[in-house]
Amino acid sequence: MMNCKTSLLTFLFSCFVFITFGQRTIVPLPKCKNGFIVIAHRGSHLIKPENSIAAIEEAINLGADYVEIDLRTTRDGHLVLIHNETVDHTTNGKGRIGDLNLDQVEKLVLNAKDGQLYRLPSFKEALKACKNRINIYLDFKDADVAQAYKEIKSAGMEKQVLVYINKAEQYKSWRTLAPNMPLMSGLPKSIKTKEELTFFLYKMPLEATDNIPNEALFDAMRENGLSVFLDVQMPDEDAVKWKAAMDKGVQGVQTDHPEALIKYLQTNNLRNGTKVCF
């Protein structure tokens, strides 16, 4: 457990244990067996098509702790995995995902380097593939909160999903409809002091973030029970950049190279340790 000054309050609420840091109550993150968390960006997408079930399976086989996936909605209200607003870049089709019905989406073929046929998966399929195998870092692009939470609950995945918020209205909806789900978002770069950070988290309680607006704030972030998963995914991602992120004291990173990163961590005895779960 991290060395934080905490006031621990345990009580029964939707089968979750909540922990109080000062004046704010946070939800535990999904449990992980490893100390330093590896998040496979869009699945192992340099090997298999991004956001595909195959990319998820590859991330699982490599031993990643989380798979990051992107969620959007079709015209007829079905939740599917795709990063971009349009299907032009990742499939053999064209147009906005929000202008296509599910039957049209199911006919699309994902672009693949290996010549095999992969299709754009539904959220239900992704949940099924991940259940009891890998946690989900859900980049909530453009979807209905109530429907997404309903599918998460139906799959029994409430304790395996961390939701990344992109809009203020998404945050309000998730906190209202699913108060027992851990939420993550970026911190404003304008935050400079411990007092400003505490005030922000009081107004918008988060369990995790992907940035450090000011490195002098990192101790305050810890004291507030905030986990940090930095984005290191980039074309020239390497051990130097992994070490630079780890030297900041973060709990994990999101990577385009989960296999190489895991090998680096294992080789340097950095894979095990304190589990990231407040």
Side-chain angles (χ1 to χ4, degrees):
M1 182 67 70
M2 296 177 64
N3 184 21
C4 302
K5 294 182 179 179
T6 65
S7 172
L8 185 62
L9 174 64
T10 304
F11 61 96
L12 188 62
F13 183 78
S14 300
C15 299
F16 271 78
V17 175
F18 287 74
I19 300 174
T20 297
F21 283 81
Q23 296 299 311
R24 79 187 198 97
T25 300
I26 66 171
V27 183
L29 299 183
K31 293 182 179 180
C32 295
K33 65 181 180 180
N34 297 299
F36 190 79
I37 304 305
V38 174
I39 302 166
H41 181 224
R42 304 182 198 175
S44 185
H45 74 273
L46 297 183
I47 299 176
K48 301 294 182 181
E50 66 179 52
N51 278 304
S52 66
I53 297 300
I56 292 173
E57 290 288 347
E58 187 71 23
I60 293 170
N61 292 336
L62 292 174
D65 301 286
Y66 283 78
V67 59
E68 187 263 356
I69 56 177
D70 303 284
L71 198 65
R72 293 187 182 273
T73 309
T74 63
R75 180 169 60 187
D76 51 351
H78 292 273
L79 302 179
V80 294
L81 270 55
I82 186 168
H83 178 271
N84 294 354
E85 186 178 357
T86 72
V87 301
D88 301 36
H89 176 65
T90 55
T91 78
N92 63 342
K94 290 187 179 297
R96 294 178 64 257
I97 191 70
D99 293 333
L100 301 175
N101 289 329
L102 182 62
D103 61 345
Q104 296 173 291
V105 171
E106 290 177 337
K107 296 174 183 177
L108 297 175
V109 176
L110 292 170
N111 299 330
K113 298 176 182 178
D114 59 11
Q116 296 187 44
L117 298 180
Y118 303 94
R119 65 185 183 86
L120 195 153
S122 69
F123 188 39
K124 290 180 181 178
E125 291 172 320
L127 289 166
K128 182 178 180 180
C130 295
K131 186 173 183 179
N132 298 324
R133 303 174 71 202
I134 192 170
N135 294 324
I136 293 176
Y137 176 128
L138 184 63
D139 195 339
F140 203 75
K141 295 296 187 186
D142 187 10
D144 181 73
V145 173
Q147 183 182 357
Y149 185 48
K150 180 179 178 180
E151 293 188 12
I152 290 171
K153 288 195 298 181
S154 180
M157 289 280 288
E158 300 99 314
K159 294 185 180 181
Q160 280 187 256
V161 179
L162 171 62
V163 182
Y164 189 94
I165 302 300
N166 288 285
K167 302 175 183 178
E169 55 267 30
Q170 293 176 351
Y171 179 85
K172 294 178 181 178
S173 295
W174 276 104
R175 279 299 184 221
T176 300
L177 297 173
N180 55 351
M181 292 293 295
L183 302 181
M184 177 178 181
S185 191
L187 296 175
K189 294 181 180 179
S190 59
I191 295 177
K192 302 296 183 183
T193 67
K194 177 179 179 180
E195 290 72 24
E196 289 173 343
L197 173 67
T198 301
F199 181 75
F200 175 82
L201 292 174
Y202 174 77
K203 292 291 186 180
M204 184 177 173
L206 296 169
E207 279 67 51
T209 186
D210 61 349
N211 72 319
I212 304 172
N214 183 335
E215 291 193 17
L217 291 174
F218 195 72
D219 286 343
M221 292 167 70
R222 280 186 169 185
E223 290 172 8
N224 276 277
L226 197 64
S227 292
V228 183
F229 303 118
L230 290 182
D231 292 340
V232 297
Q233 67 270 21
M234 58 187 73
D236 60 346
E237 181 183 333
D238 59 15
V240 174
K241 292 180 174 58
W242 298 332
K243 185 177 185 301
M246 296 184 74
D247 285 347
K248 297 179 187 297
V250 303
Q251 287 74 37
V253 296
Q254 183 176 189
T255 175
D256 280 339
H257 300 271
E259 182 175 19
L261 173 54
I262 290 171
K263 183 177 180 180
Y264 167 81
L265 293 170
Q266 292 173 335
T267 300
N268 292 279
N269 296 316
L270 300 171
R271 188 68 168 131
N272 298 317
T274 304
K275 298 178 183 178
V276 178
C277 182
F278 287 109

